[in-house]
């Protein structure tokens, strides 16, 4: 089912996405930023990116018509200034309803291999279904939603241009996925340091980076690679007994109790509060948690152990994580309402 | 030969209609009307012999009063078998005799008529009927079905059929929800059973005559009370037990429900 673009098609898209071609006509403006040091963006063959699809997805993402009571949109809980995370511990859906998990940031999701804190959903397109129908979030039916969209002539035109069809559930989810897929963040000071800007990081941030990628703090075992995540599901020992079963909700295996998806650390300074339940308010608290070695849950990852970091080392780690902020990403007008 | 060519042409045209799902037949060729017969099987739900209706008071085998607010399940992978146990896959069809997409249907107590499942059977006398409760991992065409993107499907596999887990793409094979009386309180219960390993096979033994001489309608009994009778005749799942026993989105209790579906004689083919 998950057929992806051929290498040639990816190459074409990347070429289209290359903004350095001065002869490119306006109609071939880049659809998304393909960072040179990232792998080619995977795009499903049955939902190739076009400007019209991205535009439709952007409109839907910020439209409160997607919720039954017209109170919330995707953008209500995924705020650009917070790297599309939610500063609330848990998000507030329609009629003040609250869930149990912290809204994850939407950063470089095109490269993710699973979605939600338990990694239960395999594609961005399928991911878009859950918040719309969840009674604690939008509490909407697709029948009602497509009825509303069909009643709006401007949407009829957008859907026609994007998918050559009237509004339907499939095009709603595909369009939202298309927009979210373009949310690429790759220009933090850490990125610039990696690309050779030796002055991009200060001394404390560089020490923090050494700790982060070394055996002293061991962060890199999970937060690794271009997106600072291994996309794995791990137990970080946040609790000795979990109220949220985590990955076990999906697999029904005891060995997955208390295990959650490893998030990217890109823009992490903007996405507080932290952890699956938003229970840690600051990066300092996060560092303190890992320094403690965790609460010893049976499924806690074996790489966690008391670190014995000094106060200076903790400050350096926090400084490095703050250097992961991409200020251009959170100000990019392409991702605004 | 002419009939064959005509049939091939019809099948080819049908396969070229891009707006419609194009499931392949369980058998290699479509059975012509002269070689098949459509029989309507009406599933009649009861509770220990008493008529079932949503929100009507019922009493289970253990004397517990309860009401059901929802009862839905998919029927898929139908087949008939002969006296030697050789199985022949058959198609679910609509009232006009057209094949149902994906060869499945949703029985929903809220939708009158959904309890009638129509099968196009090969001519002859069959020793019994088999089907599955749930959405198979793969559809008749071999494509992923259970974990496919529900936003791409029409009823009964669409999102609004309310049988799809958005947080874990996959269908709920079987749903029953209600409330049970326990002393002076009313306890909610619901059992949502999904996952590939809980696709439940049902085998109903009994002569089925698929000829002009045979009946065009048959009855399948469905005794809901048997769903709550577990191994050794114990109340399992216990609809007045702990929350763990009363509420299940998969997990061990869903295993019990799936086992009861298969083993408790819940479905019976009436003569």
């Amino acid at each position: 089912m998950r057929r992806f673009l051929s290498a040639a098609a990816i190459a074409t898209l990347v070429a289209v996405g290359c903004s350095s071609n001065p002869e490119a006509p306006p109609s071939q403006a880049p659809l998304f930023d393909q960072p040179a040091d990232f792998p080619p963006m995977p795009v499903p063959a049955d939902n190739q990116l076009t400007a019209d699809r991205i535009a439709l997805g952007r409109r839907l993402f910020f439209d409160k018509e997607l919720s039954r009571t017209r109170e919330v949109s995707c953008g209500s809980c995924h705020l650009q200034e917070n790297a599309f995370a939610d500063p609330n511990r848990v998000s507030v859906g329609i009629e003040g309803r609250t869930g149990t998990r912290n809204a994850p940031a939407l950063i470089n999701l095109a490269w993710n291999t699973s979605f939600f804190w338990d990694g239960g959903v395999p594609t961005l397109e399928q991911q878009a279904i859950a918040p719309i129908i969840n009674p604690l979030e939008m509490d909407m039916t697709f029948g009602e939603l497509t009825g509303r969209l069909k009643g709006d002539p401007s949407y009829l035109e957008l859907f026609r241009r994007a998918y050559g069809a009237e509004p339907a559930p499939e095009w709603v989810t595909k369009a939202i996925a298309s927009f979210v897929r373009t949310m690429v963040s790759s220009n933090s000071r850490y990125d610039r340091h990696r690309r050779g800007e030796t002055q991009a990081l200060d001394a404390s941030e560089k020490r923090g980076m050494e700790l982060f990628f070394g055996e002293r703090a061991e962060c890199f075992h999970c937060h690794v690679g271009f997106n600072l995540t291994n996309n794995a599901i791990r137990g970080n020992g946040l609790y000795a007994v979990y109220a949220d079963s985590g990955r076990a909700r999906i697999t029904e295996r005891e060995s997955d109790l208390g295990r959650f998806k490893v998030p990217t650390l890109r823009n992490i300074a903007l996405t507080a509060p932290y952890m699956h339940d938003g229970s840690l308010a600051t990066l300092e608290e996060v560092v303190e948690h890992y320094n403690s070695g965790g609460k010893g849950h049976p499924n806690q990852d074996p790489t966690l152990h008391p670190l014995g970091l000094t106060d200076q080392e903790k400050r350096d780690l926090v400084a490095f994580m703050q250097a992961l902020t991409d200020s251009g990403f959170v100000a990019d007008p392409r991702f605004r309402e | 030969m002419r009939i064959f060519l005509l049939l091939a042409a019809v099948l080819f045209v049908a396969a070229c209609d891009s707006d419609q799902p194009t499931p392949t037949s369980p058998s290699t060729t479509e059975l012509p009307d002269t070689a098949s017969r459509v029989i309507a099987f009406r599933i009649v739900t009861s509770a220990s012999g008493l008529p079932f209706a949503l929100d009507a008071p019922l009493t289970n085998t253990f004397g517990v009063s309860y009401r059901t607010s929802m009862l839905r399940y998919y029927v898929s992978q139908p087949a008939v078998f002969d006296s030697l146990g050789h199985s022949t896959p058959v198609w679910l069809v609509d009232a006009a005799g057209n094949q149902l997409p994906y060869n499945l249907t949703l029985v929903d107590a809220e939708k009158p008529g959904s309890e009638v499942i129509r099968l196009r059977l090969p001519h002859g006398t069959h020793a019994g009927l088999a089907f599955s409760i749930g959405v198979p991992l793969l559809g008749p065409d071999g494509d992923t079905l259970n974990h496919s993107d529900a936003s791409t499907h029409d009823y009964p596999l669409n999102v609004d059929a309310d049988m799809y887990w958005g947080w874990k793409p996959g269908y709920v094979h079987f749903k029953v929800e209600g409330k049970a009386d326990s002393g002076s309180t009313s306890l909610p219960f619901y059992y949502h059973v999904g996952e590939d390993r809980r696709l439940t096979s049902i085998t109903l033994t009994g002569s089925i005559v698929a000829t002009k001489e045979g009946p065009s309608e048959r009855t399948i009994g469905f005794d809901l009370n048997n769903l709550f009778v577990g191994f050794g005749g114990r109340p399992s799942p216990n609809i007045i037990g702990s929350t763990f026993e009363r509420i299940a989105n998969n997990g061990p209790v869903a295993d019990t429900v799936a086992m009861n579906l298969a083993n408790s004689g819940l479905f019976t083919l009436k003569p």
Side-chain angles (χ1 to χ4, degrees):
Chain A
M1 284 295 286
R2 299 183 63 194
R3 294 183 292 267
F4 289 95
L5 289 177
S6 65
I10 291 172
T12 303
L13 266 180
V14 171
V16 169
C18 176
S19 59
S20 61
N21 180 0
E23 295 179 3
S27 62
Q28 292 190 2
L31 295 175
F32 62 91
D33 295 329
Q34 168 63 61
D37 48 358
F38 281 22
M41 178 188 285
V43 180
D46 64 355
N47 192 26
Q48 296 186 40
L49 286 171
T50 69
D52 289 326
R53 291 173 180 183
I54 296 165
L56 173 59
R58 177 181 174 183
R59 169 112 181 250
L60 290 166
F61 185 90
F62 290 107
D63 194 340
K64 294 180 179 177
E65 290 288 328
L66 267 68
S67 62
R68 179 172 60 77
T69 59
R70 299 181 169 87
E71 290 176 272
V72 296
S73 69
C74 308
S76 301
C77 302
H78 296 283
L79 306 172
Q80 186 174 16
E81 60 265 37
N82 298 104
F84 298 98
D86 190 336
N88 295 307
R89 191 181 66 77
V90 294
S91 296
V92 180
I94 67 160
E95 298 171 341
R97 300 172 188 180
T98 52
T100 58
R101 291 177 177 171
N102 181 245
L106 309 183
I107 304 165
N108 299 338
L109 295 188
W111 288 272
N112 271 26
T113 52
S114 65
F115 302 89
F116 297 131
W117 277 105
D118 49 31
V121 177
T123 71
L124 263 180
E125 282 74 9
Q126 286 173 291
Q127 181 279 329
I129 296 172
I132 295 173
I133 64 173
N134 188 333
L136 301 178
E137 298 182 48
M138 296 180 178
D139 195 26
M140 190 58 155
T141 66
F142 274 93
E144 169 69 16
L145 173 56
T146 53
R148 289 182 187 179
L149 299 173
K150 286 176 183 174
D152 182 332
S154 64
Y155 265 123
L156 290 176
E157 176 62 11
L158 283 171
F159 275 92
R160 188 193 62 74
R161 286 163 51 180
Y163 292 102
E166 282 197 331
E170 179 176 4
W171 314 130
V172 170
T173 57
K174 280 184 159 67
I176 293 173
S178 294
F179 173 58
V180 173
R181 195 165 271 127
T182 65
M183 293 177 172
V184 178
S185 175
S186 66
N187 204 24
S188 66
R189 286 190 292 112
Y190 162 66
D191 290 303
R192 299 208 297 272
H193 170 83
R194 288 178 62 216
R195 292 166 192 154
E197 286 187 38
T198 54
Q199 303 304 311
L201 300 181
D202 67 21
S204 174
E205 291 161 350
K206 286 178 180 171
R207 288 196 302 271
M209 183 175 67
E210 294 299 318
L211 285 164
F212 188 94
F213 290 109
E215 298 292 347
R216 178 91 178 93
E218 314 228 50
C219 313
F220 75 98
H221 290 292
C222 293
H223 299 286
V224 67
F226 72 96
N227 210 21
L228 296 171
T229 173
N230 58 4
N231 277 313
I233 312 287
R234 292 281 186 270
N236 71 354
L238 187 62
Y239 299 108
V241 178
Y242 280 82
D244 185 329
S245 57
R247 179 68 174 173
R249 184 188 187 208
I250 304 300
T251 63
E252 303 179 38
R253 288 197 298 258
E254 204 168 325
S255 58
D256 281 329
L257 280 170
R259 298 177 73 205
F260 294 88
K261 187 169 164 58
V262 176
T264 179
L265 293 194
R266 289 185 171 277
N267 299 295
I268 193 70
L270 305 176
T271 67
Y274 304 105
M275 305 300 176
H276 70 276
D277 56 357
S279 58
L280 301 184
T282 65
L283 286 176
E284 286 77 7
E285 288 180 34
V286 173
V287 170
E288 203 53 64
H289 163 71
Y290 288 110
N291 188 45
S292 75
K295 299 291 197 300
H297 186 276
N299 297 332
Q300 181 174 310
D301 199 80
T303 56
L304 267 71
H305 58 86
L307 299 173
L309 297 173
T310 67
D311 288 345
Q312 182 61 52
E313 287 174 322
K314 294 175 194 172
R315 285 194 294 273
D316 291 341
L317 269 176
V318 170
F320 172 65
M321 287 190 278
Q322 287 169 336
L324 300 176
T325 297
D326 177 355
S327 53
F329 176 66
V330 294
D332 194 324
R334 292 174 297 176
F335 309 140
R336 282 194 207 130
E337 186 169 3
Chain B
M1 184 64 179
R2 278 183 187 168
I3 291 173
F4 175 80
L5 288 174
L6 179 64
L7 194 62
V10 169
L11 280 174
F12 177 77
V13 170
C16 289
D17 183 352
S18 60
D19 292 330
Q20 299 296 322
T22 54
T24 56
S25 171
S27 53
T28 53
T29 56
E30 179 83 8
L31 288 169
D33 285 345
T34 52
S36 69
R37 178 163 171 79
V38 174
I39 296 183
F41 293 86
R42 181 178 298 277
I43 301 176
V44 177
T45 306
S46 65
S48 300
L50 296 175
F52 165 89
L54 285 179
D55 298 318
L58 305 168
T59 305
N60 77 3
T61 312
F62 308 98
V64 176
S65 299
Y66 69 101
R67 294 169 191 265
T68 306
S69 55
M70 181 187 291
L71 176 63
R72 287 181 196 154
Y73 52 92
Y74 289 101
V75 171
S76 63
Q77 300 181 318
V80 287
F81 53 88
D82 63 20
S83 57
L84 298 175
H86 297 140
S87 179
T88 303
V90 297
W91 270 103
L92 283 155
V93 296
D94 63 17
N98 302 310
Q99 294 178 356
L100 296 185
Y102 309 110
N103 207 15
L104 60 73
T105 189
L106 180 63
V107 177
D108 183 347
E110 284 184 285
K111 293 187 184 304
S114 71
E115 78 281 9
V116 178
I117 61 172
R118 295 177 178 83
L119 297 171
R120 181 177 294 282
L121 307 182
H123 254 209
T125 299
H126 308 285
L129 172 67
F131 54 87
S132 298
I133 300 295
V135 178
L137 173 63
L138 302 177
D141 57 2
D143 273 357
T144 296
L145 193 59
N146 186 24
H147 305 291
S148 58
D149 183 344
S151 74
T152 65
H153 295 304
D154 293 326
Y155 186 87
L157 290 175
N158 60 341
V159 178
D160 288 353
D162 195 24
M163 294 291 280
Y164 185 75
W165 277 309
W167 47 273
K168 176 192 186 182
Y171 289 91
V172 185
H173 301 316
F174 178 93
K175 260 188 187 183
V176 60
E177 299 182 2
K179 288 186 175 178
D181 295 338
S182 177
S184 58
T185 61
S186 180
L187 298 172
F189 66 86
Y190 74 76
Y191 303 107
H192 296 179
V193 180
E195 274 301 315
D196 299 322
R197 69 177 183 276
R198 297 194 186 96
L199 183 77
T200 304
S201 298
I202 306 293
T203 301
L204 305 178
T205 304
S207 178
I208 300 171
V209 180
T211 64
K212 280 184 182 173
E213 293 72 35
S216 60
E217 289 192 21
R218 296 290 300 270
T219 299
I220 295 173
F222 176 98
D223 189 342
L224 182 60
N225 277 352
N226 280 343
L227 189 71
F228 309 120
V229 180
F231 185 73
R234 292 182 296 109
S236 178
N238 187 353
I239 56 176
I240 55 170
S242 66
T243 303
F244 175 77
E245 290 178 277
R246 288 184 288 108
I247 307 291
N249 276 309
N250 286 335
V253 176
D255 287 335
T256 299
V257 174
M259 200 159 54
N260 291 351
L261 275 170
N263 298 337
S264 290
L266 201 144
F267 290 94
T268 51
L269 180 62
K270 302 296 184 186

